[in-house]
Every structure is written in C-alpha cells, then in structure tokens.
Amino acid sequence: MIPWPIKNKFLTPGVFILIIIALNGLAFLSIRFVSGIGAVTNLDNVTPWGLWIGVDVAAGVALAAGGFTSAALGHIFHREDYNVIVRPALLTAMLGYTFVAFAVFSDIGRFYYIWHPLIMWNGNSALFEVGICVMIYMTVLYIEFLPIVTERFIGRVDLPEFLSFLNKPVDNLLRYLDNRLSLTMFIFIIAGVVLSTLHQSSLGTLMVIAGQKMHPLWQTPVLPLLFLLSAISVGFPMVMFESLIASRSFKLKPEMKILSRLGSMVAPIIGVYLAVKLGDLFIRETFKYIFILDTTAWMFIAEMGLMIIAFILFLSKKITSSPLGLFTASTFVIAGVLLNRFNNFVIAYNPFFNPTKYYPSFGEISVTLGCIALLVLVYRTIVMIFPVISQERTDLNKKIVEFYNSKNGR
Amino acid sequence: MKNLNRRDFLKSTALGVSAVALGATSVKGADKTLSEDRIGILVDTAVCIGCRNCEWACRVAHDMPTKELESYSDNSVFKEYRRPDKTALTVVNQFENEKNPLLPVYVKNQCMHCERPACVSACIVGALTKQADGSVIWDDDKCIGCRYCMVACQFQIPSYDYDKSIDPHIRKCDLCFERRKKEKLPACVNICPNEALLFGKRSEIIQIAKNRIKRKPDEYIDHIYGEFEIGGTSWMYIAGKNFEKLKMPPLGNNPAPGISESIQHGIFAYFVPPVALYALLGTVMWITRRRNGENDEENILKPHDEKGENK
Amino acid sequence: MMMKKVYFLYIPLILIICIAGSNLLPKGLTKKFDADKGNFSKENQNNNLTHVESDFTNQTLTCKSCHETEYPTKNDPGLRKCPRFDMISKFPTFNKGPEVVDIKEMSDKYTDVVFSHKIHSQMSEMSIGCTDCHHYNTTGPVLNCRECHEQNRSREDVSVPDLKAAFHRQCMGCHKQWSHDNGCSTQCHSNKGTDVKNRDRQEMLDKKHPKVTEPTKMIWETNSAAGKIVTFFHNEHNQLFKINCNTCHKQENCTKCHDVNNPKDDKNPIGIKKSFEDHHKPCMNCHNENACEKCHKEKEMTPFNHSSSAGWTLKNYHSRLACEKCHGNSMPFKKLDNNCTSCHKNFAPGKFDHKLAGLTLSENHKEMECENCHLKNDFSKPPDCKTCHDDKSFPAQSPGKR
C-alpha cells in the first residue's frame, strides 16, 4: 500500500456535469464581482450573512476537519497503520480551506482589502481570530503538502524545453526543501492541530455575539465547544466518505480494514458531542422550544436526528464493516454537521426587526454548488498528478509500468 | 416568546461566564478610555412632533441625496415601519397613542452608540471604534465589508451597500463626527424645533430625564431606555408607554459583547491555552514516537520507501 | 458753585434707596408662617385674583420650592433650576394681557409669528389658567421667555429648553395635530416677502370663543345597566373639597372638546368619542371604586351632606372647619369615626378643658365625672338637665357660662 498518482481517464460523464455546475457557479460569481453582492444574493440589512458564510465558510471549515483529526491520529499518536488516510485527508483539508478562503473573498464586500486583518488587529473579535488562524493553518497545510510535491518531482523534474536549463536548480531546491522539511515537519503538524482546535471552536464563538438575535435552541455560551466537538466528529466520517467515493470513482478496492477501524472510533466522539449538546439543552431548559414545532424547531429536530441516527449506525459492527453501511453512516454525520452549521448561521439568526425572511437565491446556491464542484474537480486533478491515494502494490506495479510506458511513448 | 428568549439568554450568560472564568478578568476595563463627559442624547418622545426635520438635516450633513425640507411634512411615510438604511441614517416612526388617539407617539431611530458596542468588539479589523466622547465611528480605510458588525448589533443598525462591488460602505449614524469637530451640534439635534433631542453630557442627561419622569409621572413610564440596556447607550429614550410597543427591543442589562469576549479571552488568555495544547501534543508525539522506536521521523512522514525502486 | 456739584452726587444714592425700599415693602400678598404645617399659607388675598378657577391658595410653598441650599442668603440665594409649577407666586389675570403678540426671533428668515394671545388666555380659563404658559413667575412682572430660555442650543445647562424649543413646545405641546401637509412656512411662519401678516392678525383679533362657564353640577345619561344617571358636583370638588383644577384638568387643549379631524366641529363641539377608560379615568383617579352603582344611579344624586354621608351632623365649631382640618391633606380624605377622642387626643377625664366645647363649667359642675351628665359617655348629644335635676331643683341658669 503506497500512495501513487491515480491513472484514470480524467473526463467522465460525472466530471462533465461537475464542470457545467462549476461554470454556472463561476458565471454568477462574476456577476457578484461586477455588480455587488446584492445582485446575486438575497442578503439585506436584516440578514447580512447567508448561505455563503453558513455553508461555504462554516460548513467548509468543519468538513475540512478530517485534515487535523487524521494528522493527530497518524502523526501525533503515531498510529502508522492509518497513514493511508492521512494524505487524502490532508489534500481535502488543503483544498477545503482554499475554497473557504475563496468563499470569504467572494462574500466580504471589499474583497481587495482581504489582507487587512494581517496588519489591522482586533483581539476582541472572534472573526479576527478565525481569520488569522485560518490564514496560518492554510499556510501550514500547504507546507505539510510540500513533501508530496517533492516526492513526486525529485529526480523527475522535466520542464518544457526552453526552461530545461532550470531542471537541475529546481531539483536541488526540492531536495533542499525535502531535507529541511523532514527535520521540522513535526512543528507544523502540531501547529496544524493546535490552530484547527482554536479556529474550529472560535467559529462557534462567532454567533455568540448576536445575542438574542439567535434562536435559544442554538444560542449558548458552549457553542465553541459544540463546534469543536462536531468538527472532530465529522473529521473521520469525511475521510471515510471521500475514500469510499474515490475508490469507487477510480475503481480501486476500498480500504475496508483501515476504514472499519476508523469507523469504530466515530461513535464515541459523536456520543460526547451529543451528550454536551443535549446536556446544554436541558441545563438551559431550551428543549421547550422544540415542542413549538415551527420551521425552526423542525430544522433542529432534523439536525439532531441525523446525528443520532449516525451515532446508532456507527455503534453497529455490521455497519462499520460494510462499505455501503460505512458510507451511509458517514453521510448522516456529514449531513448532520452541515445542517448544524447552516442552522447556526442562517436558520437560528432571527432578528427583532424582521420584515423579511431570508431564503438563499438561485445565484447563491449556484455559487455554492459551483465551488463544491470545482473543489471535486481540483481534487481529481491533484490525485492524478501527485501521490495522494494509496493503492495496492500489485496493481501499482502494473500501473507504474503502464504509466512509464505511456510517458516514454509520448 | 421574546421574553422567554431573554431569560434563557441571561441564564446562559451566567453559565458562560462561569464556564470561562479565566476570561472574566480581561473583559473589564474596556470602557476605560471613555471620558467622564461623554455624550448623551435624550429622545423625549412626549415632546417629539414627528416633523422629520432631523431626517432632512441628517441627509444634508452627510451629503446624501434628499428632497427639499418642505416635502418632509408628508406624513404618509408613517404608514409603514421604517428602519435606518443606506438612504437614511435616521428615521422617525409613528406609533399609536392609547391615551389620546389624536396625538400619536413618534420615535426616532438611529445608531444608539452603545457604551459597550458589539460592533466594535466584533469588527475584524477594528474599523469601528468607540471614541472617548462616546460616539462609535466607522473607518472607511480599514473596513473589509465582512458585515459581522451587522450580525453583532442588537439594534440592527449598520447598513451595507449591497449594490456596489467597489467601495461599498457600512453606514450608520456617526453622531455627526465631522460637525462636532467644528464645535457644532449633531445636525438632528440642531434642527429639532422642540428640542426633543437633548444633547449634553451623558450623566447630566440621565439626571434631566429622571427629573422629567418625576415631574410628570402620568406622562412617562419610569424607565429610561438606554440608561442600562446592554450596558448603556449614548442615545436614551423616555416615553409614555412600554418601549416594546415602540419597537425598542427588550434587551437585558448585560453588555452585548460580554460573553463572546469572555470566551474569546478565555481561549486566548495570554496565549497560555494554545501554548499548553501545543506542548501537550508535542509530548504525546514524543512519547508515542519512543514507543514505536523503530520508526524515525522521516519514516512517519513518508511511510513508503520505494523511491529508488520506482525509478 | 462747587457745592452744587456735590448735591448731584446724592441723586444716584437717593435712587438706590428708593428702589431698595420699594422691594422691601409688602406687595398685596402677605405671607404668614404657619407653625403647624411648617409652610407658608396665604392669609390676605387682596391681590386682584378674579380668576376663580386658578385658585392657588392651597398650593404648598416651602423654602425648598425655590431655594436649593439649606441657608440661602441674599448674595447666594441658591435658587433651584426652574421648578416650573412649584415656583408660581404671582397669578396674572387673563384679561390684562395683550391681544396679539408678535414674535420676532426669526425675523431674518420669516415674517413675525403672530400669536393670538387673547383667545389663548381666554381659553386658558378652561384649564389651569395663564400659568400653563407663564409657568415661572415670582412676584415680579410676567417674564419673557428669553429671560430663562437661552438662545443658543449649544449651552452649558441643558435642563431648561433653549428658546427655539421653548417657543415651539409652547405651541406644539397642544397643537400636536399641526398639519403635516403644510410644513413650517405656512402655518405659523411665513417666508419673508409674502404679505399674509395683516389678514392673519385681523382674523385672530376677531376670533372669539363663547364664554365657558364653570358648571355647578353635571348630569350624564348613560347606558349602564346599573343606573342611567351619573351626577357630578363640580362646585363641591372645586370649592368645598378645594381640589386644584389641574388635578383633573391636566394638559388640556382644544382637542378635549373639538374633533380636529372634523372641520364641521369647529363651531359646535359634539364631543370627542372617548373610550370606556377615558370616560371613567377622571373619577377613578381618586375614587377607585369597582361598583358601578356607586355613581350610576336611577335618579340624580343629592349634593354632599355631611350628616347623611358620614352619619354625623356638623354643628357649632365643626361646621366652620375646613375639611382637611379633620380629614387630612391627602386625597382621598381620611375616614374618621364618631369618637371625639379620634381627633381630640387630649379629651381624657380630668384633663379636658370644657371651655373648648363652648361652655365654661360652673364651680358646682366642674368636679363631676363626665358620665354624670353625658350618659354612657355619649358625647354626640348635649346632655339633658332633666336627667339629674327634677322640676323643683331645676336651676335658673345653665351649668356655666357660654
């Protein structure tokens, strides 16, 4: 089992659909950059934050949590057997955060001032903390990804002919980097985990300041803890989810041995999350709002239901040992956390002066879907270039031969 | 429903403060920079006649497009409840007067200039600042347009130019910062025919408001809205009926940024928690590495040692 | 030659003495310190107070009404900031004022604002009188607004409104129903150049309001099931119970009788439609009764009668007393019982000076027990001589000097 570039056809019907979705999203996004946020979104003075912050940013950060959870498992706790999932998770996190940054770039009104938080600090602001942590963590993720780049290209730097004189210096640079990084990587790995813990929780602090504008079912001072726990809960399911999709898409054998063991770790984490969440619900006696059974209450029930079902599914050995069961259970967790973030940032936001209720516009949804499609496409591209996904060595040998044959032939 | 919300919120406030006791110390002193003579403005709704001259003066003072003053006598605008937005930093709304249906109550709305402003606490780049004189000012050169101030503001005051891609502004009352630099009163205070807007030192204004309530107990309810609401505000209101009926949100007396800042400073108390976590993870990494002695650092990062083979 | 010049120096001195002397002389209204109440009460009313409705004789003025400091001196009187109604000690009469007042404060922008003083002062009779507007007057002449109200809005002491606000509030406080359609420049102010002033002035001079007389009693017919007739004795509340006009007539204006939304109502007030609460509030403010039949009767009520209401006839000394002497100053009046000792705490045997009852007891009777004459200690009825004296021993004269 070693990571190796996937050798499949890039263009498939599925990819084609993804490209269309991505282009549609980019089209709407260009309108946003020409005519302002109001031209694309349904945001107004009552609802300043909508789908883009709720899903693209908040849910995006949560779903990229696989990066730090698997890094902690693989590198900090030194469970080497899980290393097969570390690289895909790292890539997901790296791309996830890149797209989060991109979503923030599109959502903030003065996108050309996005660098301001670097030099203008406000330590009281939860958003500032999130912003700075995300920026540093993204850099850390790119540094963590560098060894994969060096591994792919050391000894194989093959620039186009007119730049071929650079082949040697670039190779030397890569070797130098590889050497330095291997000595200092542990610093970045720990930093990555610490930064993730910080900003995953601070993302929860964001909405605390909204005070009474936020529905009591969600508004609680333990929001940061809930956000952190739910992010950790969704970390492994996200890894399993994408691993299973990738193996299906690239027609590889799913890593069931590793994934099942990973799956058995998920239930306790979700259990802790649910315990804190329900405990908070009962201590603050906010469960009474559930019985109002309005839209808001139903959204809460849906969110909790998804997590509880996922918890039960992950408890069963039978489920965690079958690819379909694992996939289903993971989907429930992902949907639950996604809905939780959406609820926190959109549904729970319920201002006093509320002449309009916010519904995401077609443009907003298009951009969100477009971003996700683009992310999948970039992921597909990268795993085809860089050694990210581990494959069985027997397969690999054959593929390596094919790969080099084709390369030589070209 | 709203009341219940508030009670729960207060309850959770207590929970939160105890949960992050560490942060509690660092929250204090945020109002240290506030001057003793900071500004207070009293809106006496019993005196306001709803002439809307303040709306006109505000627009003129802020170089915003406006019709001529005479057109403001048109009271058909009162048919619907209005909120301040990018076209008007202040608006006057009409409410029914149960005591005398012929004489409605008028309430002017604008930024309240909180003593402990949530927007200032929230702003990612510190573009919103609380001045020593009490006003809350927005800085065009810093703002990145993230609209977190709008999420944070309990009065839903900041408004945003959604139709602009380049140089969109956050707009709200700035207590006529520019005018006051020239020793002038805020435009609305200056034009008010009845001096329903009373401008002075906050401490004196509160005293005057109390005297007015004491002198006419039939005319006013015994409540100065803004004296204590979310830690106090620069604009304060007295009225003859419950403020909730005048669409003034029922907020507790705890400052809006209180809990979030406690949590924030709790997580980052002198960077101790992050550094401690870092050290802890480092130790775990060291110990587990020793246990799996045969794997050195390089192997951990690159568990495959197949490069040579593959070449 | 030189001596003559020296005489001139005396002129200012004499002037000063005259002015000082004139201030020291009593001015119609003299005050006497009432040791019981601890405040000033007016004794002589030789000021020309023709305005009965605004009788402020019950107003309680204390040192603290005007002076903030504990020991005010001439140099440092420590006067309170405008206490408004607590401060009035001169009551101008409504018919003495000018017919029209021209307010020239905004003469650079608008023509003068013409204020029809006459009709306003006449109508003020309906409410608390001139003092509704002239709310701060000591013993001197009627003060101009600008004496207290500063012209500059940006000022040190903001507790008193500035001049612009003082003027506007004086008008708008009542005329809140100003027409939104017209704005400032046609209602009161006219832009300079338009010549509407003279016509307006004549119109104002011609305007009259029929005299509104103070009612003695008012009778309403209602639909109440408890009883159709409600009677209200205005004279009793005002004169007998000495209730201040502004206790009930608070902040009144034209809208009390005239429906401003109905222009036809101008001449003929048909009364404003009032809510149930508004109808009952004036009475319920003091009489917090829940029983409808207390006011709603089948027929007109009879005027107040102490013997039928309280079951105790006022005679002799008691009939001359003001209500509050026994029933206290606060409204509603304190209820009392028939026992003399409830009020006369010193009416104990041995201590009682019978002279207070209007009869000085003779030597023979002085030593007797009260019960001997006032059978069963019932002091409500005068004793009958026959209970002790039979026909033979019946004395020629009463048991003492009256």
Side-chain angles (χ1 to χ4, degrees):
Chain A
M1 287 285 289
I2 57 155
W4 197 250
I6 303 277
K7 291 286 38 128
N8 279 47
K9 234 170 75 185
F10 185 80
L11 271 176
T12 62
V15 170
F16 196 69
I17 292 167
L18 285 177
I19 290 174
I20 290 171
I21 296 173
L23 286 177
N24 177 47
L26 288 175
F28 276 104
L29 203 59
S30 59
I31 299 173
R32 176 258 170 273
F33 282 109
V34 174
S35 313
I37 295 174
V40 180
T41 65
N42 274 350
L43 297 176
D44 53 19
N45 288 335
V46 177
T47 320
W49 281 2
L51 186 72
W52 289 356
I53 293 287
V55 172
D56 296 23
V57 176
V61 167
L63 298 185
F68 90 94
T69 47
S70 55
L73 187 71
H75 295 326
I76 292 180
F77 291 92
H78 281 112
R79 302 283 294 269
E80 274 75 25
D81 35 348
Y82 291 108
N83 276 338
V84 289
I85 59 154
V86 170
R87 282 193 175 192
L90 174 63
L91 178 62
T92 320
M94 191 183 92
L95 292 179
Y97 275 92
T98 312
F99 275 84
V100 164
F102 184 65
V104 169
F105 180 74
S106 331
D107 190 77
I108 64 168
R110 300 170 158 205
F111 48 89
Y112 43 88
Y113 280 163
I114 194 165
W115 50 274
H116 271 186
L118 283 175
I119 53 163
M120 299 163 187
W121 292 12
N122 178 14
N124 287 332
S125 169
L127 189 64
F128 170 74
E129 202 248 288
V130 172
I132 288 290
C133 277
V134 166
M135 274 190 207
I136 303 173
Y137 184 51
M138 223 165 81
T139 317
V140 167
L141 283 171
Y142 278 100
I143 292 172
E144 283 184 41
F145 194 75
L146 264 181
I148 301 173
V149 179
T150 57
E151 181 188 321
R152 168 71 177 81
F153 284 112
I154 284 176
R156 295 192 207 108
V157 181
D158 186 14
L159 294 165
E161 216 156 305
F162 63 100
L163 286 172
S164 54
F165 66 95
L166 283 174
N167 278 351
K168 189 71 187 159
V170 170
D171 189 63
N172 284 343
L173 178 73
L174 289 174
R175 280 175 198 280
Y176 173 77
L177 273 177
D178 187 44
N179 189 25
R180 287 283 128 186
L181 282 172
S182 59
L183 292 174
T184 52
M185 187 49 80
F186 74 98
I187 297 175
F188 295 111
I189 285 168
I190 306 174
V193 176
V194 173
L195 286 165
S196 292
T197 323
L198 289 176
H199 74 254
Q200 291 286 6
S201 53
S202 288
L203 211 56
T205 324
L206 273 190
M207 292 308 276
V208 171
I209 203 165
Q212 288 180 51
K213 290 204 277 183
M214 215 175 152
H215 195 278
L217 276 174
W218 286 278
Q219 177 63 288
T220 159
V222 295
L223 260 184
L225 183 63
L226 288 173
F227 265 59
L228 180 64
L229 289 173
S230 56
I232 297 174
S233 309
V234 82
F236 293 146
M238 193 66 200
V239 170
M240 293 179 251
F241 180 79
E242 58 167 271
S243 172
L244 287 166
I245 286 196
S247 40
R248 180 156 182 106
S249 169
F250 299 129
K251 301 188 177 60
L252 301 167
K253 206 174 148 229
E255 307 278 353
M256 279 317 289
K257 212 175 114 195
I258 302 291
L259 295 184
S260 298
R261 270 162 60 196
L262 211 54
S264 63
M265 281 189 252
V266 176
I269 306 174
I270 300 183
V272 172
Y273 166 70
L274 284 175
V276 175
K277 178 112 179 163
L278 292 172
D280 171 65
L281 208 62
F282 280 94
I283 288 171
R284 292 186 305 119
E285 292 169 23
T286 47
F287 52 84
K288 60 189 172 226
Y289 294 105
I290 298 173
F291 304 116
I292 297 171
L293 291 180
D294 53 355
T295 323
T296 322
W298 280 116
M299 289 302 270
F300 185 81
I301 293 169
E303 172 198 328
M304 290 304 286
L306 286 169
M307 290 305 274
I308 290 168
I309 293 170
F311 176 64
I312 295 166
L313 288 178
F314 271 114
L315 276 180
S316 145
K317 263 254 150 56
K318 219 172 131 193
I319 299 250
T320 50
S321 54
S322 87
L324 185 66
L326 213 53
F327 183 78
T328 317
S330 302
T331 314
F332 272 107
V333 182
I334 292 164
V337 172
L338 198 116
L339 190 59
N340 170 264
R341 296 301 191 263
F342 182 75
N343 281 349
N344 263 299
F345 282 86
V346 179
I347 299 292
Y349 192 75
N350 192 13
F352 184 78
F353 309 103
N354 194 7
T356 52
K357 185 79 199 145
Y358 165 79
Y359 291 100
S361 71
F362 181 72
E364 268 175 288
I365 298 169
S366 297
V367 171
T368 299
L369 291 178
C371 279
I372 296 168
L374 207 56
L375 186 133
V376 175
L377 288 173
V378 175
Y379 183 93
R380 194 177 166 89
T381 314
I382 289 182
V383 296
M384 286 187 167
I385 297 171
F386 294 100
V388 176
I389 295 180
S390 298
Q391 293 149 63
E392 285 297 334
R393 203 175 290 189
T394 44
D395 288 32
L396 197 65
N397 286 338
K398 216 159 83 192
K399 282 192 177 172
I400 291 162
V401 174
E402 279 170 18
F403 177 58
Y404 282 101
N405 283 348
S406 66
K407 203 173 179 181
N408 294 339
R410 195 176 43 166
Chain B
M1 174 78 182
K2 276 283 166 197
N3 280 340
L4 280 171
N5 277 1
R6 182 167 144 224
R7 206 186 320 132
D8 294 328
F9 190 67
L10 296 181
K11 204 185 281 175
S12 52
T13 308
L15 216 131
V17 169
S18 54
V20 278
L22 248 177
T25 47
S26 45
V27 184
K28 285 177 201 158
D31 45 4
K32 256 180 197 163
T33 53
L34 281 181
S35 148
E36 281 292 306
D37 300 339
R38 61 185 179 275
I39 296 165
I41 303 183
L42 180 71
V43 182
D44 191 336
T45 57
V47 175
C48 178
I49 52 162
C51 68
R52 292 172 60 224
N53 282 6
C54 48
E55 290 184 22
W56 175 82
C58 179
R59 287 201 174 102
V60 171
H62 292 90
D63 300 321
M64 290 157 82
T66 172
K67 289 183 202 160
E68 70 279 16
L69 180 59
E70 279 69 31
S71 69
Y72 282 74
S73 329
D74 174 20
N75 63 353
S76 63
V77 294
F78 290 131
K79 275 176 198 148
E80 59 182 51
Y81 180 77
R82 300 178 302 150
R83 294 289 302 160
D85 57 19
K86 61 175 181 177
T87 63
L89 306 184
T90 182
V91 289
V92 179
N93 282 301
Q94 190 181 53
F95 294 92
E96 198 186 319
N97 182 1
E98 287 88 356
K99 287 178 191 159
N100 186 349
L102 293 172
L103 307 177
V105 182
Y106 298 97
V107 178
K108 178 184 182 291
N109 295 108
Q110 74 295 306
C111 171
M112 300 287 282
H113 296 270
C114 307
E115 298 271 278
R116 293 282 317 276
C119 58
V120 170
S121 168
C123 183
I124 180 167
V125 287
L128 285 154
T129 45
K130 179 82 176 165
Q131 305 292 316
D133 65 12
S135 53
V136 177
I137 308 293
W138 175 77
D139 187 346
D140 190 7
D141 296 330
K142 284 187 173 176
C143 178
I144 65 166
C146 70
R147 308 186 298 287
Y148 190 31
C149 48
M150 298 165 74
V151 173
C153 178
Q154 295 298 300
F155 298 98
Q156 283 171 254
I157 289 298
S159 65
Y160 176 77
D161 293 336
Y162 281 101
D163 50 359
K164 278 171 89 177
S165 176
I166 303 297
D167 199 31
H169 279 226
I170 290 287
R171 285 181 210 274
K172 67 168 204 71
C173 162
D174 58 356
L175 264 179
C176 283
F177 194 61
E178 293 302 320
R179 278 175 64 93
R180 281 186 296 112
K181 269 189 205 159
K182 297 174 207 150
E183 301 279 308
K184 282 190 199 163
L185 286 170
C188 53
V189 173
N190 197 48
I191 201 166
C192 182
N194 267 19
E195 209 176 26
L197 315 172
L198 189 63
F199 181 94
K201 291 176 192 170
R202 189 171 189 270
S203 49
E204 283 178 18
I205 291 292
I206 291 172
Q207 209 46 55
I208 291 168
K210 279 181 182 162
N211 287 343
R212 285 191 189 177
I213 292 170
K214 207 170 112 191
R215 198 160 67 195
K216 293 179 182 171
D218 302 328
E219 209 167 304
Y220 300 105
I221 58 161
D222 189 13
H223 181 185
I224 305 172
Y225 188 94
E227 187 186 6
F228 299 118
E229 265 76 11
I230 57 166
T233 55
S234 299
W235 283 79
M236 288 164 285
Y237 293 74
I238 51 175
K241 63 183 206 175
N242 195 320
F243 285 101
E244 217 171 320
K245 287 184 184 160
L246 302 175
K247 289 222 175 187
M248 303 295 277
L251 302 164
N253 292 349
N254 290 315
I259 317 164
S260 95
E261 282 186 14
S262 315
I263 297 170
Q264 194 63 13
H265 294 293
I267 295 174
F268 278 94
Y270 306 104
F271 282 96
V272 171
V275 172
L277 181 64
Y278 196 100
L280 179 75
L281 290 174
T283 318
V284 171
M285 200 170 178
W286 179 254
I287 292 169
T288 51
R289 188 182 101 120
R290 291 278 294 265
R291 206 170 50 199
N292 307 318
E294 67 272 24
N295 296 320
D296 64 355
E297 188 75 19
E298 207 165 334
N299 276 356
I300 294 156
L301 294 171
K302 289 177 266 168
H304 43 279
D305 199 14
E306 330 282 351
K307 272 180 232 163
E309 222 176 277
N310 295 340
K311 263 175 201 171
Chain C
M1 198 62 191
M2 282 296 287
M3 284 301 280
K4 267 189 180 173
K5 274 188 180 170
V6 174
Y7 286 136
F8 282 116
L9 288 173
Y10 281 104
I11 293 170
L13 193 68
I14 291 163
L15 269 172
I16 290 167
I17 291 168
C18 287
I19 292 164
S22 68
N23 279 341
L24 289 171
L25 288 171
K27 278 189 159 181
L29 191 109
T30 55
K31 286 175 181 171
K32 187 189 160 200
F33 195 74
D34 187 331
D36 284 353
K37 282 196 213 157
N39 59 20
F40 286 102
S41 63
K42 267 183 275 170
E43 208 164 62
N44 300 328
Q45 294 200 9
N46 53 353
N47 63 332
N48 37 13
L49 220 165
T50 53
H51 188 229
V52 192
E53 286 82 352
S54 305
D55 185 355
F56 282 84
T57 42
N58 297 323
Q59 194 175 32
T60 47
L61 276 177
T62 67
C63 306
K64 295 269 184 223
S65 304
C66 306
H67 301 281
E68 210 161 36
T69 44
E70 201 65 44
Y71 302 105
T73 62
K74 202 175 167 189
N75 293 330
D76 180 21
L79 289 174
R80 277 174 57 189
K81 282 172 192 172
C82 180
R84 229 178 145 90
F85 296 110
D86 300 345
M87 196 61 188
I88 303 151
S89 54
K90 173 156 180 169
F91 311 103
T93 54
F94 73 92
N95 48 12
K96 288 255 171 99
E99 294 208 318
V100 168
V101 177
D102 298 292
I103 302 163
K104 300 176 199 290
E105 307 298 328
M106 289 283 279
S107 54
D108 54 326
K109 211 172 160 192
Y110 299 110
T111 54
D112 299 349
V113 174
V114 187
F115 172 65
S116 51
H117 185 270
K118 192 176 82 181
I119 192 156
H120 278 91
S121 57
Q122 280 172 349
M123 292 315 297
S124 74
E125 239 188 316
M126 295 279 293
S127 183
I128 61 168
C130 307
T131 46
D132 202 7
C133 297
H134 299 286
H135 51 257
Y136 181 92
N137 273 305
T138 52
T139 50
V142 173
L143 293 171
N144 275 329
C145 303
R146 62 183 75 79
E147 298 281 339
C148 305
H149 297 280
E150 283 181 61
Q151 199 123 27
N152 195 355
R153 180 154 288 183
S154 175
R155 60 202 188 278
E156 197 57 29
D157 175 18
V158 287
S159 63
V160 172
D162 73 342
L163 191 57
K164 181 179 167 187
F167 278 132
H168 280 124
R169 284 190 198 183
Q170 211 63 279
C171 304
M172 307 281 218
C174 301
H175 299 280
K176 265 193 182 170
Q177 273 289 333
W178 61 287
S179 163
H180 276 272
D181 306 329
N182 292 324
C184 310
S185 61
T186 49
Q187 282 286 309
C188 312
H189 305 273
S190 313
N191 283 327
K192 265 216 156 145
T194 49
D195 192 29
V196 283
K197 189 183 152 191
N198 290 333
R199 196 195 61 222
D200 280 0
R201 178 181 282 266
Q202 199 49 51
E203 214 173 88
M204 279 170 192
L205 287 170
D206 293 345
K207 244 186 186 171
K208 267 187 193 127
H209 194 282
K211 184 153 177 70
V212 181
T213 46
E214 186 198 343
T216 42
K217 75 177 169 192
M218 295 167 91
I219 298 150
W220 287 280
E221 275 187 51
T222 67
N223 296 326
S224 171
K228 293 240 180 312
I229 310 290
V230 176
T231 326
F232 171 71
F233 288 93
H234 191 275
N235 58 338
E236 283 173 5
H237 283 80
N238 183 14
Q239 284 156 23
L240 188 61
F241 309 134
K242 301 257 163 60
I243 292 165
N244 277 340
C245 305
N246 60 347
T247 310
C248 305
H249 299 278
K250 275 180 223 167
Q251 285 256 317
E252 280 181 357
N253 55 53
C254 312
T255 58
K256 198 195 172 197
C257 306
H258 299 276
D259 184 352
V260 264
N261 292 337
N262 180 6
K264 282 179 193 162
D265 191 45
D266 232 21
K267 294 257 157 56
N268 183 24
I270 37 170
I272 305 286
K273 274 190 186 142
K274 284 186 195 164
S275 65
F276 178 87
E277 200 185 46
D278 286 341
H279 266 302
H280 290 81
K281 217 181 163 195
C283 301
M284 304 278 270
N285 267 348
C286 305
H287 307 275
N288 29 12
E289 314 278 352
N290 284 322
C292 304
E293 61 273 12
K294 194 91 182 168
C295 303
H296 292 271
K297 309 255 184 199
E298 287 306 330
K299 52 185 180 186
E300 239 180 89
M301 279 199 272
T302 48
F304 174 76
N305 182 331
H306 200 280
S307 42
S308 62
S309 300
W312 199 64
T313 319
L314 295 175
K315 280 191 286 189
N316 301 337
Y317 189 70
H318 286 111
S319 65
R320 279 178 274 147
L321 288 174
C323 310
E324 71 263 21
K325 264 289 190 207
C326 302
H327 294 284
N329 259 331
S330 61
M331 289 286 168
F333 280 145
K334 193 167 67 187
K335 286 214 166 72
L336 302 168
D337 54 21
N338 286 354
N339 282 333
C340 303
T341 46
S342 304
C343 296
H344 303 280
K345 296 271 190 269
N346 55 348
F347 280 16
K351 282 187 195 164
F352 179 60
D353 183 2
H354 207 283
K355 201 158 64 177
L356 288 170
L359 183 80
T360 318
L361 289 176
S362 67
E363 285 298 311
N364 296 346
H365 292 84
K366 213 172 184 176
E367 300 299 317
M368 291 169 73
E369 292 291 320
C370 305
E371 213 177 349
N372 288 4
C373 301
H374 298 282
L375 296 174
K376 295 177 187 168
N377 272 340
D378 178 9
F379 298 98
S380 56
K381 283 179 280 188
D384 194 353
C385 301
K386 281 177 191 164
T387 49
C388 302
H389 303 280
D390 57 17
D391 286 346
K392 282 174 193 167
S393 65
F394 198 78
Q397 67 264 62
S398 36
K401 260 198 283 178
R402 269 204 188 269

